Amino acid sequence: MSSIRPAGDYEDKGVHTFVPYDILSVRVGNTAGDPYEYSKKSKIVYKVYYRTTDGSGYQWSAEGGSVRTLAEQLYDRGAVERRVLLISGENTYVTIEADETAESYTTNRKITCLVISTLSVLYLFGWIVAALLRRAKRLAAEQTEF
């Protein structure tokens, strides 16, 4: 959560119309571990690439799925309105839904990180409790044997 920028770090460049211009296949997957296993852990997805119509040069891509026809359906939907947020002090930007703001974007990212962290801690806690219960049960079984 500490890597999430505050809303003030984003400069709102307004809502732009993005039109699809290409569909490309992209290999995604787990790159950790044995490089020879990469092909087994990865898959091909199709991305739809968009660019603005106003000449501003902004681009965006959306994952269309693992079947090309799904990406083609997304492509056929046509133009999409998205808000562009420029990251102050850097030569980069993010695009978000047109009805979002920098504040709602950062808040949603923080909530997502909090939910993932909470679920991870709960999972770990549950695993520890289960291990302790198994140990207690094993110790109780060993004591009744004597």
Side-chain angles (χ1 to χ4, degrees):
M1 282 194 27
S2 64
S3 66
I4 298 173
R5 299 172 183 276
D9 283 2
Y10 295 98
E11 181 183 342
D12 190 346
K13 291 297 189 177
V15 176
H16 295 266
T17 302
F18 289 80
V19 293
Y21 68 92
D22 204 358
I23 299 174
L24 296 174
S25 61
V26 179
R27 183 179 295 273
V28 295
N30 184 6
T31 58
D34 186 3
Y36 298 107
E37 294 291 319
Y38 178 71
S39 62
K40 295 178 185 171
K41 296 178 184 176
S42 64
K43 64 179 181 175
I44 299 291
V45 296
Y46 293 90
K47 287 185 126 183
V48 179
Y49 290 87
Y50 295 82
R51 61 179 157 219
T52 53
T53 57
D54 59 10
S56 60
Y58 296 123
Q59 296 182 353
W60 171 65
S61 67
E63 189 173 308
S66 59
V67 179
R68 185 172 176 87
T69 55
L70 295 175
E72 289 170 353
Q73 290 173 0
L74 186 60
Y75 185 96
D76 291 340
R77 289 184 194 160
V80 177
E81 301 256 317
R82 298 201 43 97
R83 182 175 303 281
V84 176
L85 299 177
L86 184 68
I87 300 173
S88 301
E90 295 183 20
N91 192 21
T92 188
Y93 60 91
V94 294
T95 66
I96 58 176
E97 297 293 328
D99 59 344
E100 280 190 290
T101 63
E103 291 80 16
S104 66
Y105 170 70
T106 55
T107 300
N108 289 339
R109 289 194 62 203
K110 287 177 183 176
I111 289 171
T112 300
C113 286
L114 185 62
V115 167
I116 291 170
S117 299
T118 302
L119 291 175
S120 299
V121 168
L122 288 174
Y123 176 79
L124 181 62
F125 180 73
W127 190 87
I128 290 171
V129 167
L132 290 174
L133 289 174
R134 280 193 307 268
R135 184 170 187 246
K137 186 177 178 181
R138 189 181 71 238
L139 290 175
E142 288 174 0
Q143 288 179 352
T144 57
E145 289 178 2
F146 295 111

